[in-house]
Amino acid sequence: MKFFQAFEKSSAVELYSYLMLLLVSVLLYLLSDYLKKCILAFRLPGPTAYPVIGNCLEIAKKDLITREIAQAYKNYGPLARVWIFVFPMFVVFDPSDLKVILSSKKHTDKSLFYKLLHNFLGRGLITSSGHKWSTHRKLIQPSFNITILEKFIETFADSASSLIEKLPKEETILNVTEYVNNCVLDILNEAVLGVPVKATDKAEMDQSPFRQGKVVAPYRITHPWLLFNSIYKLTDAASAELNQKKQLDDFSRKMIHRRREAQKTLTATDRRCLLDFMIEISNENPDFTDEDIIDEACTFMLAGQDSVGAAIAFTLFLLARHQDHQAKCYEEVKQHLVSDCQKLPTAESIRELRYLEACIKESLRLYPSVPMMARKIGEGVRIDNKYNLPPGTEILILPYATHRLEHIYPDPERFDPERFADTAPHQNPYAFLPFSAGPRNCIGYKFAYIEMKTVIARILQNYHLTPAPGKEEVEPVFRMTLRARGGLWVKLTPRQGSLKCT
């Protein structure tokens, strides 16, 4: 009897041990990629991480851009690691490695952290992945044909003229950021939603929720327990964000209804907006619903504000500091744009502003509107010919750092538009990333360049820019997009015989 009891006890222990071994083996298999990432992360250099929270608090530091990101490649080399909570992310700097990731359709999925923007931007082209992204991109891409985009020059010119009307008519020092942002919003209201810049009743647009958008993603990252939706949804911040999203959706839905009504009487000479094109897409493709139109409209309206507004303001600031480059731009503007504000610039004249475009690109190199992007790779990738990243790895891309690689951009802190002149050596497209690159590049980048050139050209026609005394330096800060702490200040001096766009 004792023998059988001992045998049964031994068998139970063996069975228990076997089950535990099986369980551990299954867990190790399921966690193998995660463990590989962790092992690699512990081998790589990176900013000092703290237990559990990792590097989450870094994003709140005032000198994140100038201290950490600008010097990241010098400090860590071509591949670095950061910890977001207990999850490792890998920072890729070198264009040759970035090409492997950004050029392939196998790596088009956005990082899981873009889900933090769903209640702000919706699930449009910036935040979506997989089939939805590829389908929407294919459907919307024809609307960004250069021939269609150049028809928006009238809208850009009207908004620029409205901006000139609001600027002081005497020499003054001012923060150009607010003026420029309002101009860009006027452009988007007409180009995306179909509300004319010269609308007689602008009260409704002045109360537009697109003027009041506030993103909370950085707040959630610096409070990593809020990365869990089950916790975040219990907070006041979540309630405020959902309320904001509802206002954006309701407003967009109302604009869609108006454009559907307007299309009944739309003539061939009437200006069209992106909502018109997306409504046509929806009519021909039932799977592209009104909710999809709303998501894409919110994406264009919100992403287009900060990115283009910052780029224009930084360019004006830098032209004020570099008189020789401003003079070249002004001569180019005088040569190609008519000096009569009643006559719209032509598509050809805007294309000919090549030196101004080089100045804009150099501004975007120094101060990329989106200084940080992320991807999730779809298959294993080898970085720097020695590090293997497994599928599902979260990749961080820092244009602000890549744009300062000395072996690509000598004397990287110097403002030198000649880097982008027609005679300059061919630039590696993965070394210049203000609008990303590859299949997931910004669908509206051509729109943005035409917009920026038109607005800046109008300002240069009317004003000479010089630095504002005591405000000659800029302190860039990160708030999803790049901003300047305290704004960007310049002295505006009306040019003799300048346009009177009143």
Side-chain angles (χ1 to χ4, degrees):
M1 180 64 70
K2 290 182 179 181
F3 171 79
F4 287 110
Q5 288 177 341
F7 177 77
E8 289 176 356
K9 184 176 181 181
S10 173
S11 298
V13 170
E14 287 182 4
L15 179 61
Y16 176 76
S17 299
Y18 173 78
L19 290 174
M20 287 299 298
L21 180 61
L22 180 63
L23 178 61
V24 170
S25 298
V26 170
L27 286 174
L28 287 174
Y29 174 78
L30 294 175
L31 295 174
S32 61
D33 281 346
Y34 173 74
L35 294 174
K36 289 178 185 176
K37 296 171 197 173
C38 290
I39 292 170
L40 177 59
F42 284 120
R43 290 172 52 202
L44 289 172
T48 302
Y50 298 95
V52 183
I53 63 172
N55 298 110
C56 287
L57 298 183
E58 292 286 325
I59 201 170
K61 293 184 177 179
K62 294 180 179 180
D63 59 353
L64 170 67
I65 294 289
T66 55
R67 174 188 56 82
E68 189 62 53
I69 294 181
Q71 302 299 319
Y73 183 81
K74 289 183 179 179
N75 292 337
Y76 309 125
L79 184 67
R81 62 93 190 113
V82 295
W83 291 90
I84 303 298
F85 201 32
V86 294
F87 303 103
M89 295 186 74
F90 298 91
V91 191
V92 180
F93 298 100
D94 196 87
S96 58
D97 294 324
L98 290 172
K99 180 180 180 179
V100 174
I101 297 167
L102 294 177
S103 67
S104 174
K105 291 185 178 180
K106 297 176 182 178
H107 309 306
T108 56
D109 281 358
K110 285 296 184 79
S111 164
L112 62 89
F113 291 102
Y114 281 83
K115 293 180 180 179
L116 303 180
L117 298 174
H118 282 172
N119 288 335
F120 179 65
L121 292 177
R123 290 167 171 80
L125 289 177
I126 289 181
T127 57
S128 61
S129 293
H131 178 72
K132 180 173 183 176
W133 168 78
S134 61
T135 301
H136 284 203
R137 177 83 183 211
K138 185 181 296 184
L139 290 172
I140 297 172
Q141 185 72 60
S143 302
F144 285 84
N145 178 281
I146 189 65
T147 304
I148 294 175
L149 295 182
E150 288 178 341
K151 293 180 180 178
F152 286 107
I153 289 176
E154 294 182 33
T155 296
F156 303 155
D158 284 348
S159 299
S161 295
S162 179
L163 169 62
I164 299 302
E165 291 177 17
K166 296 169 185 174
L167 289 172
K169 300 302 182 285
E170 65 281 340
E171 183 175 275
T172 188
I173 294 174
L174 52 74
N175 178 1
V176 296
T177 307
E178 182 177 351
Y179 288 91
V180 166
N181 287 346
N182 286 334
C183 175
V184 171
L185 187 55
D186 282 345
I187 289 172
L188 292 172
N189 282 337
E190 179 167 320
V192 178
L193 303 179
V195 180
V197 173
K198 298 178 180 179
T200 53
D201 182 11
K202 298 191 70 174
E204 182 179 39
M205 298 312 295
D206 288 340
Q207 299 301 314
S208 164
F210 289 111
R211 288 185 177 273
Q212 304 150 17
K214 182 180 179 182
V215 61
V216 298
Y219 174 75
R220 293 182 68 177
I221 293 173
T222 56
H223 298 76
W225 53 91
L226 297 181
L227 295 175
F228 299 97
N229 282 328
S230 57
I231 299 175
Y232 175 65
K233 68 181 182 181
L234 302 175
T235 67
D236 291 339
S239 299
E241 188 180 40
L242 288 173
N243 181 60
Q244 173 182 263
K245 179 58 177 167
K246 182 179 185 304
Q247 292 181 43
L248 293 170
D249 288 356
D250 290 346
F251 190 83
S252 299
R253 192 171 286 107
K254 181 166 62 176
M255 294 296 108
I256 293 171
H257 175 73
R258 287 188 183 179
R259 291 311 300 175
R260 280 204 167 100
E261 291 298 312
Q263 285 184 350
K264 296 176 182 178
T265 58
L266 204 63
T267 68
T269 58
D270 289 333
R271 295 185 188 181
R272 305 184 69 197
C273 66
L274 291 177
L275 275 188
D276 294 332
F277 294 112
M278 289 194 285
I279 289 171
E280 290 178 4
I281 292 171
S282 181
N283 292 339
E284 297 172 4
N285 301 270
D287 289 341
F288 193 78
T289 66
D290 277 10
E291 294 306 311
D292 293 324
I293 298 176
I294 289 169
D295 282 339
E296 300 301 351
C298 287
T299 294
F300 293 134
M301 288 294 297
L302 294 168
Q305 280 184 58
D306 285 350
S307 58
V308 175
I312 292 175
F314 274 112
T315 302
L316 294 173
F317 177 83
L318 289 167
L319 289 177
R321 288 183 56 185
H322 299 87
Q323 294 294 303
D324 52 342
H325 299 303
Q326 182 184 167
K328 290 182 180 180
C329 289
Y330 180 57
E331 289 303 315
E332 186 179 64
V333 167
K334 284 200 303 181
Q335 179 182 352
H336 295 291
L337 265 61
V338 295
S339 58
D340 180 355
C341 69
Q342 300 305 317
K343 294 183 180 180
L344 292 168
T346 65
E348 179 61 28
S349 65
I350 295 299
R351 280 197 296 270
E352 288 300 318
L353 301 179
R354 303 183 191 281
Y355 196 79
L356 175 56
E357 182 172 326
C359 288
I360 293 170
K361 287 181 176 179
E362 178 67 347
S363 298
L364 285 168
R365 182 190 70 80
L366 284 169
Y367 302 109
S369 300
V370 182
M372 190 179 299
M373 299 178 287
R375 291 284 188 277
K376 183 167 69 173
I377 62 175
E379 65 178 18
V381 168
R382 189 167 178 80
I383 299 295
D384 195 32
N385 290 319
K386 60 181 176 180
Y387 300 109
N388 294 314
L389 302 181
T393 299
E394 300 277 343
I395 299 295
L396 202 59
I397 301 161
L398 305 178
Y400 195 94
T402 296
H403 290 181
R404 283 166 167 74
L405 297 180
E406 292 187 7
H407 60 280
I408 297 174
Y409 299 107
D411 194 6
E413 294 298 336
R414 179 168 58 92
F415 180 72
D416 182 12
E418 298 295 337
R419 303 181 204 268
F420 297 96
D422 290 340
T423 56
H426 176 68
Q427 287 287 351
N428 185 328
Y430 298 92
F432 182 63
L433 303 167
F435 298 102
S436 189
R440 286 213 71 151
N441 70 336
C442 173
I443 195 172
Y445 80 94
K446 293 180 181 177
F447 179 102
Y449 275 127
I450 300 170
E451 176 185 5
M452 291 186 285
K453 289 167 73 174
T454 305
V455 172
I456 295 171
R458 278 297 198 210
I459 293 174
L460 292 179
Q461 279 184 311
N462 286 269
Y463 292 95
H464 177 237
L465 314 176
T466 51
K471 298 181 183 291
E472 295 92 343
E473 301 302 321
V474 60
E475 183 182 356
V477 293
F478 173 71
R479 294 178 185 170
M480 295 307 293
T481 54
L482 198 69
R483 308 284 184 88
R485 190 182 306 281
L488 292 162
W489 294 76
V490 300
K491 179 191 285 188
L492 297 179
T493 303
R495 293 187 186 274
Q496 295 297 318
S498 62
L499 304 177
K500 301 299 181 184
C501 298
T502 59

